[in-house]
Amino acid sequence: MAASSSGSSTLKRTLCTFIRYRSVRCVRQCNASIRTVCTSGSTSQLQPKIQSKGVSSQLRGVVGLEIHAQIHATSKLFACSRVAFCSPPNSSVAFLDASLPGTLPVLNRRCVEAAVITGLALNCTINRKSLFDRKHYFYADMPAGYQITQQRLPIAVNGSLIYSYFGGRKRNQVLSRCVRIKQIQLEQDSGKSLHDDQRSQTLIDLNRAGVGLMELVMEADMSCGDEAAAAVRELQLILQTLGTCQGNMSEGQLRVDANVSVHCPGEPLGVRTEVKNINSARYVARAIDYEIQRQKKVLENGGIIVNETRAFDSKSGTTIPMRDKEGLQDYRFMPEPNLPPLFVYEDEASVPAGVNPTQVVMIDRLKAELPELPGVRRARMVDQYKILPEHSFTLVNEDGLTEYFERVVRNTKAEPRKVIGWVMKELLGNLNQQTLTPTALRKIT
């Protein structure tokens, strides 16, 4: 239920009273009071055994990612309040977003279609029936005290993402990898806490509360920062190609949590730490590589790895502790009572009698609308124009450059390899000098 124009002034007055209540000290004390501290006894049982210094070179990093992608939609997941970046605080808040009594969620069909399209592009199995759950935990910027998510039965499972990166001794070899995707689930975002240290208070902005998210959970199939960063870049490009997420990490549209541990090959995985809310692919690589080396040094010096949540400090290039990991915290998951099961259908023939096919989500219709994905486009560019694989990465990864390259080849009838040489050396160099991006080339006819 969205805020109407007549009730907007009442809502704003209610919010102003409601949100100006938290001080920084109060929030920190409250967070500290609900922490679950892992005992050193339970943690040490999972530590890799290091007999002497230098043996840590045998340790290998293990990396898994949890990525929150903001769905590109005009309204929120369960309310019709507008989604817009940099709006004035609390200017786009429905009654449901503020958790006012009596409000009920109404599922946004666009968000469901975005999740299904993303799942299809990532080779996932789309569950014909999925469920919504409540995940209970306290944050000052989550007024309901719970998040609506999909814990028991998400919308998509068992997918894969193929990505490539430059490796080898000279970092000039194109190495391809595949990471398994455990699941994609729909969930709502929280609000945002605005900390004012000078006045010792925290203000709450609920504009982001209720915005639709896709959480993509990747298995621990990566071993270093370069692999993880390449996977994030490839996923970002796929989402942008699909139009399901704009993928602007600086605006929080794509946020990465990295689960990092080390172990000796053939032995059980070590204790992991979670590095939260990394906001660029470059920082993903730096944070993970630092954390792997930090854990190796701790074990080599006879210490133990603590199961904790850490943050990446981009200025120092280090990760810093945030809080102990609530490994056994009871989120009190329960079925969401206000939302029925979510059904999607294979095709029109599978739609139950009496149901309007235009009012449901059909997989075959969305599959037919899938665009040419980045990996397929790269392979086509190499095969069709006989260019080097590394050149295909530059063309596809830079928005607008592929279309311009193909237009030049088509109009000039020139040898593609000569055109790509001109693009890589002269065109991109001139664009950089003028601080322009390849998207500016779309204006050139």
Side-chain angles (χ1 to χ4, degrees):
M1 176 179 179
S4 64
S5 58
S6 61
S8 61
S9 60
T10 302
L11 175 59
K12 289 181 179 179
R13 287 196 299 269
T14 303
L15 288 172
C16 288
T17 303
F18 175 72
I19 64 179
R20 295 181 61 91
Y21 71 100
R22 292 291 176 193
S23 67
V24 174
R25 185 180 298 107
C26 176
V27 172
R28 289 174 178 170
Q29 288 175 348
C30 189
N31 287 340
S33 67
I34 62 174
R35 287 178 184 167
T36 302
V37 180
C38 299
T39 62
S40 59
S42 62
T43 302
S44 62
Q45 294 175 0
L46 301 175
Q47 305 294 327
K49 296 179 180 179
I50 303 297
Q51 302 295 335
S52 60
K53 290 188 176 183
V55 183
S56 64
S57 60
Q58 301 174 4
L59 293 172
R60 296 293 180 266
V62 179
V63 181
L65 300 178
E66 296 174 9
I67 301 176
H68 291 86
Q70 180 178 311
I71 297 172
H72 183 42
T74 56
S75 57
K76 297 182 181 180
L77 183 57
F78 299 118
C80 60
S81 42
R82 187 171 56 95
V83 176
F85 183 69
C86 281
S87 296
N90 295 304
S91 63
S92 183
V93 183
F95 291 123
L96 179 70
D97 305 330
S99 193
L100 298 186
T103 54
L104 295 174
V106 178
L107 183 59
N108 185 337
R109 176 178 169 179
R110 159 61 185 167
C111 294
V112 177
E113 291 179 338
V116 172
I117 293 172
T118 301
L120 292 173
L122 296 175
N123 310 301
C124 291
T125 298
I126 307 299
N127 285 323
R128 303 308 188 265
K129 175 185 177 181
S130 58
L131 303 172
F132 288 98
D133 306 279
R134 288 185 180 183
K135 178 182 180 180
H136 293 82
Y137 56 95
F138 171 80
Y139 278 139
D141 50 22
M142 185 173 287
Y146 62 83
Q147 176 192 44
I148 300 179
T149 183
Q150 292 187 309
Q151 170 68 14
R152 294 169 296 162
L153 192 58
I155 195 167
V157 295
N158 300 330
S160 61
L161 171 65
I162 298 175
Y163 63 95
S164 300
Y165 69 102
F166 290 99
R169 289 185 177 182
K170 297 182 179 180
R171 300 179 64 84
N172 59 355
Q173 296 178 330
V174 179
L175 305 177
S176 294
R177 296 287 186 270
C178 179
V179 57
R180 293 170 295 160
I181 296 177
K182 179 180 179 181
Q183 65 189 54
I184 301 174
Q185 61 195 49
L186 283 167
E187 62 186 29
Q188 57 183 173
D189 209 344
S190 62
K192 187 176 182 180
S193 297
L194 307 174
H195 302 295
D196 185 348
D197 291 331
Q198 292 183 348
R199 299 181 181 180
S200 296
Q201 63 181 0
T202 294
L203 304 179
I204 307 300
D205 179 10
L206 294 180
N207 279 348
R208 200 177 65 182
V211 170
L213 298 177
M214 293 179 290
E215 180 177 358
L216 299 97
V217 182
M218 295 183 179
E219 299 283 8
D221 294 338
M222 294 160 281
S223 61
C224 66
D226 284 343
E227 290 187 21
V232 170
R233 290 191 189 98
E234 187 69 10
L235 176 63
Q236 181 184 37
L237 196 58
I238 289 174
L239 296 177
Q240 291 170 338
T241 301
L242 297 173
T244 57
C245 174
Q246 292 179 305
N248 190 330
M249 299 187 73
S250 64
E251 295 183 3
Q253 295 169 351
L254 203 67
R255 307 194 294 269
V256 180
D257 300 339
N259 295 307
V260 184
S261 65
V262 296
H263 79 134
C264 293
E267 295 185 0
L269 299 181
V271 174
R272 66 181 175 88
T273 61
E274 182 181 31
V275 186
K276 291 283 290 185
N277 291 328
I278 312 173
N279 62 0
S280 83
R282 183 166 60 93
Y283 289 166
V284 166
R286 291 177 59 193
I288 290 173
D289 287 340
Y290 172 84
E291 184 61 19
I292 290 174
Q293 294 304 316
R294 185 193 70 83
Q295 292 187 21
K296 287 182 178 181
K297 290 179 181 178
V298 168
L299 294 173
E300 188 176 56
N301 292 329
I304 61 173
I305 305 301
V306 178
N307 185 211
E308 63 183 349
T309 298
R310 301 176 71 89
F312 177 66
D313 183 352
S314 59
K315 293 182 179 179
S316 64
T318 64
T319 63
I320 55 178
M322 291 176 61
R323 58 181 180 269
D324 297 317
K325 188 69 176 175
E326 299 101 350
L328 300 177
Q329 180 175 350
D330 182 9
Y331 288 113
R332 296 179 290 122
F333 283 104
M334 61 171 282
E336 170 53 56
N338 295 323
L339 286 168
L342 170 60
F343 291 95
V344 297
Y345 300 94
E346 184 66 35
D347 49 33
E348 189 169 344
S350 64
V351 178
V355 177
N356 187 346
T358 63
Q359 301 300 315
V360 299
V361 175
M362 288 191 290
I363 295 175
D364 67 337
R365 188 166 58 197
L366 295 176
K367 188 180 296 184
E369 296 174 358
L370 283 175
E372 184 181 43
L373 296 176
V376 176
R377 178 173 290 189
R378 291 190 197 99
R380 178 178 66 81
M381 299 294 285
V382 172
D383 181 65
Q384 181 176 348
Y385 298 109
K386 310 304 179 185
I387 63 176
L388 297 175
E390 50 265 36
H391 291 164
S392 72
F393 274 90
T394 302
L395 289 179
V396 175
N397 290 8
E398 294 287 349
D399 188 22
L401 196 57
T402 300
E403 294 84 352
Y404 184 78
F405 167 79
E406 292 188 302
R407 192 160 69 244
V408 171
V409 171
R410 183 172 58 252
N411 293 340
T412 64
K413 309 297 183 182
E415 171 65 33
R417 284 179 292 185
K418 292 183 179 179
V419 175
I420 192 64
W422 173 78
V423 167
M424 299 295 293
K425 294 179 181 179
E426 298 186 31
L427 177 63
L428 291 179
N430 288 332
L431 288 174
N432 289 333
Q433 288 179 1
Q434 300 178 50
T435 64
L436 295 174
T437 63
T439 55
L441 299 172
R442 290 175 174 165
K443 301 178 181 179
I444 302 175
T445 59

